[in-house]
Amino acid sequence: SQQGEEDPQALSIQEGENATMNCSYKTSINNLQWYRQNSGRGLVHLILIRSNEREKHSGRLRVTLDTSKKSSSLLITASRAADTASYFCATDKNTGGFKTIFGAGTRLFVKA
Amino acid sequence: EPEVTQTPSHQVTQMGQEVILRCVPISNHLYFYWYRQILGQKVEFLVSFYNNEISEKSEIFDDQFSVERPDGSNFTLKIRSTKLEDSAMYFCASRPQGYGYTFGSGTRLTVV
């Protein structure tokens, strides 16, 4: 499979619940990024976590990175209807290349 | 907050015609990119541009495509002889080294 694969493909939860999305990748990375995309819009950068970091927080977002398992998770706590979007992980290889590989995304639907 | 600006937001073109998609990246960013997203599919890397030259390109970015930074602020993607399968959202992005991308809102290209 491609570098940066999210799991699950789709997730439906109630407002107030936590949402967890996972990302797996295959090759060594320099950093991993998470983005949100509302339908038909551009991608919005959420968090970048470097390969020497294990956890990062930003507001209601918590990202973990396990380089030994080549995986990352994005946790959104106390979800809101406005969090409804697609979420993508993306990886920069550590070879110094200029290319970022995006996964297929997780479609999150938060019911009010 | 600085933005990446893309024009036009929607372009309809006849098959075989040439189109130019325009972008104004964030002025103090050094790295510029074009990505595309076919409806409902992954965000695909096309090309990266650094120091006034292409630094990396994907297999999608063949002789049909070219990029230019004609005047130090604009960043353009030219698609020659468009095909039906070129229909997609095209996103321009810029970033400082080692940080996440700032994406534009995209140009929806429809080839008829």
Side-chain angles (χ1 to χ4, degrees):
Chain A
S1 61
Q2 299 290 317
Q3 183 89 331
E5 291 291 332
E6 292 89 341
D7 160 58
Q9 291 186 324
L11 182 60
S12 181
I13 59 174
Q14 290 291 137
E15 208 167 29
E17 294 180 339
N18 296 342
T20 300
M21 289 160 271
N22 302 297
C23 169
S24 61
Y25 57 91
K26 287 188 169 292
T27 64
S28 297
I29 61 169
N30 185 47
N31 63 66
L32 186 143
Q33 304 150 51
W34 284 92
Y35 291 84
R36 184 186 73 231
Q37 185 182 35
N38 291 89
S39 181
R41 308 293 298 274
L43 290 92
V44 174
H45 177 248
L46 297 175
I47 286 186
L48 181 149
I49 186 165
R50 303 188 194 283
S51 59
N52 61 352
E53 297 176 309
R54 292 297 166 257
E55 188 170 312
K56 212 160 180 180
H57 297 255
S58 177
R60 293 184 296 113
L61 306 180
R62 173 177 166 251
V63 168
T64 61
L65 179 65
D66 187 334
T67 52
S68 66
K69 295 180 180 177
K70 293 187 168 59
S71 67
S72 173
S73 67
L74 169 67
L75 169 67
I76 304 174
T77 59
S79 62
R80 306 166 182 167
D83 294 328
T84 295
S86 291
Y87 291 82
F88 295 88
C89 70
T91 53
D92 282 343
K93 290 193 270 190
N94 68 353
T95 58
F98 292 85
K99 179 167 71 172
T100 302
I101 303 297
F102 284 79
T106 292
R107 290 187 304 281
L108 175 65
F109 181 65
V110 182
K111 294 176 278 189
Chain B
E1 189 166 331
E3 289 184 341
V4 174
T5 305
Q6 288 187 245
T7 56
S9 56
H10 192 189
Q11 173 93 44
V12 181
T13 189
Q14 295 273 342
M15 193 167 53
Q17 296 295 304
E18 174 183 287
V19 294
I20 297 177
L21 310 183
R22 301 180 192 280
C23 170
V24 179
I26 293 173
S27 59
N28 63 348
H29 287 181
L30 301 177
Y31 300 83
F32 312 116
Y33 304 80
W34 284 99
Y35 283 81
R36 79 173 185 188
Q37 186 179 34
I38 295 170
L39 186 64
Q41 297 188 23
K42 281 188 178 186
V43 177
E44 298 176 294
F45 170 78
L46 291 178
V47 65
S48 57
F49 195 84
Y50 170 71
N51 203 24
N52 287 318
E53 61 183 21
I54 291 173
S55 46
E56 195 154 350
K57 59 184 180 179
S58 72
E59 57 277 8
I60 302 169
F61 194 89
D62 58 20
D63 292 343
Q64 184 194 6
F65 294 88
S66 62
V67 289
E68 269 192 340
R69 192 161 157 77
D71 57 12
S73 61
N74 291 290
F75 181 49
T76 62
L77 174 69
K78 183 188 289 186
I79 309 174
R80 287 180 282 274
S81 190
T82 49
K83 307 169 199 166
L84 293 176
E85 55 264 37
D86 294 329
S87 295
M89 283 288 286
Y90 287 81
F91 293 105
C92 173
S94 66
R95 69 193 297 196
Q97 186 175 12
Y99 291 85
Y101 290 84
T102 300
F103 280 87
S105 296
T107 294
R108 181 175 300 282
L109 176 65
T110 303
V111 182
V112 297

